[in-house]
Amino acid sequence: MGTSNWLDDNQQRTWRSWLDLHAQLNARINRQLQAATGLSLSDYAILVELTSEEAEGSLRMFELGERLQWEKSRVSKQVSRMEARNLVVRRHCADDRRGAFVDLTPEGRVAIEAAAPGHVELVRELFFAGLSDEQVRQLGDFAEGVLARLAATD
């Protein structure tokens, strides 16, 4: 190997901890959602996007993919699974024959409204417990900075 600017020990420890934290947190939240509501974390992610103020219960398939940073095939497969459980319906776009909308169903709205309180409580318990308001602000600033660098290099 040539000379590289390797991560120092502290950076390596922090990076690996971050990756492990992300994987374990997603797995725990997914298990809790499944057990409590029958929703997967992927179901929940789509339902959250559809219930956002901008979406008002309906988004184009490509918009869901962009918002969630998912490949087109993943969005399509997940929407199909959710359609089978009547959480969403796919509606063809009149202006674009290849495009489709994903619409929230009444059952989907009930599901997200039932799941949200337990999800929020688990996030508070696992992610925010023990952090001061200042630490939460700093963590938010850090995340927004990383997101800005990602957007600038896209």
Side-chain angles (χ1 to χ4, degrees), residues 63-129:
E63 288 177 293
L64 269 175
E66 286 177 355
R67 288 174 179 225
L68 297 170
Q69 295 292 294
W70 291 0
E71 298 296 323
K72 184 178 176 181
S73 63
R74 180 177 179 191
V75 175
S76 183
K77 288 175 186 173
Q78 185 61 41
V79 166
S80 293
R81 285 191 287 269
M82 293 173 74
E83 274 186 303
R85 293 175 11 248
N86 203 31
L87 298 171
V88 298
V89 293
R90 202 177 313 222
R91 176 172 47 93
H92 292 286
C93 179
D95 326 353
D96 178 1
R97 291 185 12 193
R98 294 177 302 152
F101 285 93
V102 178
D103 296 336
L104 185 66
T105 63
E107 292 86 347
R109 186 167 302 282
V110 167
I112 189 71
E113 288 173 357
H119 173 75
V120 168
E121 189 56 40
L122 187 63
V123 169
R124 272 201 187 102
E125 174 190 327
L126 296 177
F127 192 78
F128 291 109

Side-chain angles (χ1 to χ4, degrees), residues 9-52:
D9 290 345
N10 190 39
Q11 290 170 330
Q12 180 79 344
R13 178 192 64 82
T14 301
W15 177 241
R16 287 182 179 218
S17 293
W18 171 256
L19 292 175
D20 197 27
L21 176 148
H22 185 262
Q24 287 192 38
L25 195 58
N26 279 341
R28 176 74 66 86
I29 290 171
N30 191 52
R31 286 193 305 272
Q32 183 270 342
L33 276 170
Q34 288 273 353
T37 67
L39 295 175
S40 69
L41 191 51
S42 295
D43 294 334
Y44 191 84
I46 286 179
L47 293 173
V48 164
E49 292 302 330
L50 289 173
T51 55
S52 70

